[in-house]
């Protein structure tokens, strides 16, 4: 049942990526929406789940929050290191030229890992019971549209070719199915899953706050772009509220 339901997540992820491709003439709106979706996923979905799963503290601070900060700093360090290396090899100095394609691929890879964990969560939930599995499945399918949208947008934003963006989108779509299938063979400890979600949340927040949203407002500081960002956050809030 979990694998069958994960096929719905597969289709929803592809639909999100297709949508991101079709609205290239409104790129600033796409980026504004993507930033809002990413912010909503981090603040309203990933962090609460990470804090619940990884409930231990380190020197008075929840381990999930420490990993969240570590993820943010890691993303910043990786991007600055790659940008400096690119500049040292004669890369252009403009705002849109400092982005290393490797950062986009790494970010999309993290999205794929997150989607695989979604599939694992579905499989584990169905092992607990049908009601629990259905609730988790609805949440995963609903926000996998945002995952597909963000995966294609992130890969493309950092200068990767369209075929790479499509390849990462397909990988992201397949990940929940493989994750759900994997639960028949092993179980990921909840604290480990919580730590991963915290780390991934920090990476995603950095990309949204430091890259996606500034780029969205750089050439088109329009009210419509801001409304798209708010709509992205509101959509994730709606999904979390319904699934909760």
């Amino acid at each position: 049942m979990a694998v069958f339901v994960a096929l719905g997540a597969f289709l929803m992820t592809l639909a999100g990526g297709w949508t991101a491709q079709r609205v290239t003439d409104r790129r600033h709106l796409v980026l504004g929406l993507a930033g809002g979706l990413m912010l909503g996923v981090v603040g309203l979905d990933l962090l609460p789940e990470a804090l619940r799963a990884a409930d231990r503290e380190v020197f008075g601070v929840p381990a999930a929050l420490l990993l969240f900060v570590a993820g943010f700093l890691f993303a910043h360090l990786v991007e600055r290191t790659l940008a400096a290396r690119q500049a040292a090899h004669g890369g252009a100095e403009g705002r849109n030229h400092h982005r290393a394609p490797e950062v986009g691929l790494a970010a999309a890879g993290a999205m794929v890992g997150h989607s695989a964990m979604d599939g694992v969560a579905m499989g584990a939930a169905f092992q607990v019971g049908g009601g629990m599995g259905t609730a988790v499945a609805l949440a995963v399918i609903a926000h996998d549209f945002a995952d597909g949208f963000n995966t294609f947008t992130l890969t493309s934003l950092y200068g990767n070719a369209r075929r790479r963006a499509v390849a990462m989108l397909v990988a992201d779509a397949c990940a929940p199915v493989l994750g759900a299938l994997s639960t028949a063979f092993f179980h990921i400890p909840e604290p480990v899953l919580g730590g991963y979600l915290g780390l991934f949340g920090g990476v995603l927040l950095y990309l949204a706050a430091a890259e996606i949203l500034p780029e969205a407002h750089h050439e088109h500081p329009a009210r419509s772009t801001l409304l798209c960002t708010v709509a992205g956050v509101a959509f994730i809030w709606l999904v979390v509220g319904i699934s909760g």
Side-chain angles (χ1 to χ4, degrees), residues 52-120:
R52 184 195 64 79
D55 57 356
R56 60 172 300 206
E57 293 187 352
V58 179
F59 290 107
V61 178
L65 288 183
L66 287 176
L67 287 168
F68 173 77
V69 174
F72 189 98
L73 293 175
F74 174 75
H76 178 61
L77 176 64
V78 168
E79 186 183 44
R80 296 319 320 167
T81 300
L82 291 174
R85 183 178 302 171
Q86 188 179 48
H89 286 79
E93 298 294 334
R95 175 181 176 85
N96 292 325
H97 297 282
H98 80 278
R99 292 187 170 86
E102 295 88 345
V103 175
L105 291 176
M111 294 295 295
V112 174
H114 170 58
S115 294
M117 291 300 101
D118 282 346
V120 171

